[in-house]
């Protein structure tokens, strides 16, 4: 079965989770997507002066409660599933063009056999 086209794929914003059908635009990246609403929020955040900090890490996860982290986990899992689905589509596109399992495996840092087992859909 050939890979689905971009219009056939179930695309959601990797940040807010909204479907491509519920926003004006979605920008695709390497396995991730961002909607126009999240881009607007990013633009707003980038337009505010940065607080000076010596911490290199993002501090907000450290301030989250256990319940807040548990509420956040399904969103992370949904993005992970979307990235996995997107990777599967790209592998299918490569196979549609005659790219070998050996080359796909090498590109992904795995063996030909591992690539075939993960992406072929055969048992």
């Amino acid at each position: 079965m050939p890979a689905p086209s971009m219009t056939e794929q179930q695309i959601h914003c990797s940040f807010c989770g909204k479907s491509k059908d519920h926003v004006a635009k979605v920008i695709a990246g390497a396995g991730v997507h961002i909607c126009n609403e999240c881009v607007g929020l990013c633009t707003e955040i980038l337009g505010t002066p940065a607080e000076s900090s010596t911490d290199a890490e993002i501090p907000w996860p450290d301030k989250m409660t256990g319940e807040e982290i548990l509420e956040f986990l399904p969103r992370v899992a949904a993005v992970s599933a979307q990235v996995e689905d997107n990777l599967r589509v790209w592998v299918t596109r490569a196979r549609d063009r005659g790219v070998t399992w050996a080359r796909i495996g090498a590109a992904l840092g795995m063996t030909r056999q591992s690539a075939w087992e993960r992406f072929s859909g055969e048992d």
Side-chain angles (χ1 to χ4, degrees):
M1 170 191 275
S5 69
M6 290 298 282
T7 56
E8 296 170 328
Q9 283 183 264
Q10 296 296 318
I11 295 173
H12 293 81
C13 177
S14 301
F15 296 87
C16 69
K18 291 181 183 173
S19 165
K20 67 179 178 184
D21 301 325
H22 293 102
V23 295
K25 293 182 181 181
V26 176
I27 301 167
V32 296
H33 303 85
I34 187 167
C35 72
N36 60 294
E37 295 173 10
C38 287
V39 169
L41 180 59
C42 290
T43 302
E44 184 180 321
I45 291 169
L46 291 172
T48 60
E51 296 177 18
S52 61
S53 174
T54 57
D55 295 338
E57 293 189 30
I58 300 171
W60 61 267
D62 296 336
K63 296 178 182 175
M64 293 174 79
T65 66
E67 284 302 312
E68 289 170 327
I69 290 172
L70 288 173
E71 289 174 16
F72 197 68
L73 289 179
R75 291 177 63 188
V76 174
V79 171
S80 175
Q82 180 172 299
V83 170
E84 180 66 22
D85 290 346
N86 196 274
L87 178 59
R88 190 170 302 282
V89 167
W90 281 97
V91 167
T92 302
R93 285 188 178 127
R95 291 292 297 153
D96 290 347
R97 288 166 176 78
V99 178
T100 66
W101 285 113
R103 290 185 63 206
I104 291 168
L108 295 173
M110 61 178 63
T111 66
R112 174 204 62 80
Q113 182 69 27
S114 294
W116 180 85
E117 288 174 359
R118 182 171 173 187
F119 299 107
S120 73
E122 298 178 31
D123 291 330

